Amino acid sequence: MKRTCISTFLLLSTLTMSGNCNSKNGLPAFKDLYLGQKPPGLTPEPFAPDMLDKGFRAAAVSFSPDLKELYFRRRGGEYKKNTLCVIEYKNNQWIESVVPPRAGQPFVSVDGNTLHLGGMFRERTQSGWSEVKSLGKSFNAIRIMRLTASKKGTYFFDEATEVGHIRYSRLVEGKREAPKSVSKAINSGKWTAHPFIAPDESYIIWDSERKEGLGDNDLYVSFRQQNGAWGPAINLGNKVNTQHQEQYGSITPDGKYFFFNRSYGGDNADIYWVDAGLIKALKPKF
C-alpha cells in the first residue's frame, strides 16, 4: 500500500475562468475557487493535474474551512520523500509552498485551527502554524497515518498495518477518552485505512482491500443508523473504484465535492474530484 508529496516555492498565476468575480463571506472569488478549475459532475475527473502532481505522486487533499488553503502531499523525481505542500489564496492569486518539517497526511480541523498530521498536530497561531505536537501517550503506540476529526472533536484514525484497524476517540467533558474500535463492518479486509469522518459524524469514508472489491484498494462509505450504530460498508462503485488503488477520500468543507486519490503504482498517482451527490445517493433510506 502506497502512502504520499513536496515542492519548492512556486507562484501560480491568477486564473481567469468566467463567472462572478465578487468574493463572498471571505471566500475566494467564484472564478478562483478550487484553483479556478471547472466543477465536475457525477463522473470523477482529475483535479488540476498540471498544478498538483506535475508528473509526480500527489495525494491526501485537505482544504481549510475558508477554502483558501489546500494541503496535500507530493513525492517522486527530485522529491525523494513525502513532503507536505500547501497552495494558498493570497492577493487574488494561488501561491504554493512547502510546509516543513513533518509530512504526515494532512487534515485541517472543522474550525480551521488545527492541522492534524497523523499522530501529531500543529495549532494555528498569529504567526502561522505552531511546532509539531504529540497527541499524547494514549496514541503513541499506534502508527497513525491519517486522523480526521468531527465538529465535536471526535478523532477517527487508522493504523499502519496490513490487517488495518480504524479507531475513534471522543472528547468527553473536555477530556480525551482512550481509543476504541469502530464496527466490524468497517474493520474488515486488508489495509483498512485513511478514514474521513463527516463533521456531524453522520457517515465515515475509508479505503480497504476486500475480496468483493473492484481491484486493489477501494473506497467505501458507512452511514450512521438511527440507533447510532454504523451501517454496512458500501462500495462507492465503478465510477470511483477501479483495478488501481483508490484512497484518501474526503468531502470539502462546503459539502460540494468528494476528493480522492488514485494510485497507479510507484510514484504515479493523481487526485480526483466529483460532485458529492455521488456519496449522498448511496445513503440507504431507513
Side-chain angles (χ1 to χ4, degrees):
M1 195 174 187
K2 302 359 180 234
R3 330 281 181 203
T4 6
C5 178
I6 183 164
S7 164
T8 54
F9 286 90
L10 173 66
L11 180 65
L12 299 175
S13 61
T14 303
L15 302 169
T16 56
M17 292 189 67
S18 61
N20 177 13
C21 297
N22 294 323
S23 178
K24 295 182 179 179
N25 301 321
L27 297 177
F30 177 80
K31 68 182 182 67
D32 294 322
L33 274 174
Y34 294 105
L35 308 188
Q37 304 298 298
K38 180 181 178 181
L42 292 174
T43 299
E45 299 177 6
F47 178 71
D50 295 339
M51 302 169 72
L52 294 186
D53 63 54
K54 301 176 184 176
F56 306 126
R57 177 181 173 87
V61 164
S62 183
F63 284 89
S64 61
D66 62 7
L67 302 177
K68 290 184 178 181
E69 300 170 3
L70 165 60
Y71 294 87
F72 66 105
R73 300 197 309 170
R74 186 183 286 135
R75 187 183 72 221
E78 62 188 284
Y79 312 117
K80 304 302 181 183
K81 297 181 179 180
N82 290 326
T83 300
L84 182 60
C85 309
V86 61
I87 301 180
E88 300 175 89
Y89 191 72
K90 294 181 177 180
N91 300 320
N92 299 319
Q93 57 191 1
W94 291 99
I95 301 174
E96 180 181 320
S97 61
V98 171
V99 184
R102 185 178 174 84
Q105 296 174 15
F107 174 76
V108 183
S109 62
V110 175
D111 63 10
N113 292 327
T114 304
L115 177 60
H116 290 286
L117 299 167
M120 310 292 283
F121 69 97
R122 304 174 79 171
E123 295 178 315
R124 196 183 294 275
T125 69
Q126 291 183 346
S127 58
W129 292 113
S130 70
E131 295 299 316
V132 176
K133 301 180 180 181
S134 171
L135 291 176
K137 60 182 181 180
S138 297
F139 302 87
N140 289 343
I142 304 172
R143 295 176 58 208
I144 300 174
M145 296 179 293
R146 189 190 202 188
L147 181 151
T148 62
S150 71
K151 190 174 182 179
K152 295 179 181 178
T154 306
Y155 292 164
F156 284 78
F157 55 94
D158 56 15
E159 184 175 8
T161 65
E162 182 176 358
V163 174
H165 198 68
I166 293 177
R167 297 180 175 92
Y168 69 96
S169 172
R170 296 178 303 169
L171 201 57
V172 181
E173 296 182 351
K175 295 183 179 181
R176 179 67 55 187
E177 69 176 1
K180 300 178 182 179
S181 296
V182 296
S183 71
K184 291 184 179 179
I186 295 171
N187 280 327
S188 64
K190 297 193 301 182
W191 297 118
T192 300
H194 311 129
F196 171 83
I197 186 64
D200 62 358
E201 300 186 24
S202 61
Y203 61 86
I204 183 173
I205 297 170
W206 75 99
D207 51 80
S208 184
E209 183 180 328
R210 302 188 177 201
K211 291 181 180 180
E212 69 274 17
L214 301 181
D216 206 315
N217 274 60
D218 281 2
L219 284 156
Y220 293 84
V221 62
S222 172
F223 293 92
R224 184 85 72 177
Q225 298 181 332
Q226 292 179 345
N227 63 3
W230 289 111
I234 302 172
N235 189 294
L236 296 194
N238 58 16
K239 284 188 176 182
V240 171
N241 294 315
T242 66
Q243 72 271 27
H244 304 292
Q245 288 184 344
E246 279 76 33
Q247 304 167 313
Y248 307 107
S250 65
I251 300 290
T252 53
D254 59 8
K256 292 183 177 180
Y257 305 108
F258 173 61
F259 275 74
F260 65 96
N261 175 75
R262 180 172 292 157
S263 176
Y264 306 98
D267 291 331
N268 184 10
D270 296 320
I271 293 169
Y272 282 76
W273 65 328
V274 64
D275 191 294
L278 181 145
I279 303 294
K280 298 174 183 177
L282 296 173
K283 183 176 181 179
K285 296 181 179 178
F286 299 114

